[in-house]
Amino acid sequence: MRSPLDPLDSKKLNSFHWRTAVVGGMGQFTDGWDLSSASILLFAIAETFHIAVLSSASSLILSSVIIGNFVGALIFGPLVNRGRKRFYGIDVGLMAIGAIMEALSPSIYFLILSRFILGIGVGADYVISPLIVAEYSNRNDRGKLLTFSGGLSWDLGALSLAIVSITLSIFLPPQLLWRVAMGDGCNSSPFGVVS
């Protein structure tokens, strides 16, 4: 019996497949950027809010995004069956709002809340991005496209944040450095791609 997915599965690798992998990869790039940001910039954050690097407040800054990640995956896992595109837009919106809130955080508690909201978006993206790439990939190149859009893109996001942070640290004081670098996570969100 012939599967309705046979035409898609047997199609040769083309620009549509790569565009889909890039869209999914932009989400993963942003995840790498956002999840790495607090650990890379923790000393600057601690100096701004006058907290110890090894304190419960620092632990909450680092773990709130992971807790949000878990919540986002649990919420969006069942929801994406109702429309990938709609929920990908919500996912991107949550990551952008979380990044902006981080940059504008007036207190440590607001930063922790911002990281939690950002984490919900990241958790949603961990569900949605690979799913979109896998669904539109052909059978022979699915693994290659998922590797590109997932692992490689995440690593590039984390590496880009490290390079940007090191470069900005030459020009910006610590109080401004972490705000600019974390807020820049909003720019790496694929807003322009979701249409």
Side-chain angles (χ1 to χ4, degrees), residues 14-16 21 30 32-33 37 41 63-64 69 84 93-94 103 119 128 138 158 176 180 192:
N14 60 40
S15 62
F16 170 77
T30 305
W33 182 287
S37 62
L41 299 163
S63 63
S64 58
N69 194 336
R84 313 274 194 258
L94 284 169
I128 299 169
N138 62 19
L176 192 56
V180 171

Side-chain angles (χ1 to χ4, degrees), residues 72-88 90 124 127-129 131-132 135-136:
L74 285 176
I75 291 170
F76 281 85
L79 288 177
V80 294
N81 290 328
R82 299 182 187 168
R84 313 274 194 258
K85 191 174 181 179
R86 175 178 13 146
F87 288 106
Y88 195 57
I90 292 170
V127 172
I128 299 169
S129 285
L131 189 59
I132 289 172
E135 283 182 340
Y136 289 109

Side-chain angles (χ1 to χ4, degrees), residues 82-105:
R82 299 182 187 168
R84 313 274 194 258
K85 191 174 181 179
R86 175 178 13 146
F87 288 106
Y88 195 57
I90 292 170
D91 153 33
V92 168
L94 284 169
M95 289 194 294
I97 289 167
I100 292 167
M101 287 175 64
E102 280 181 317
L104 301 175
S105 292

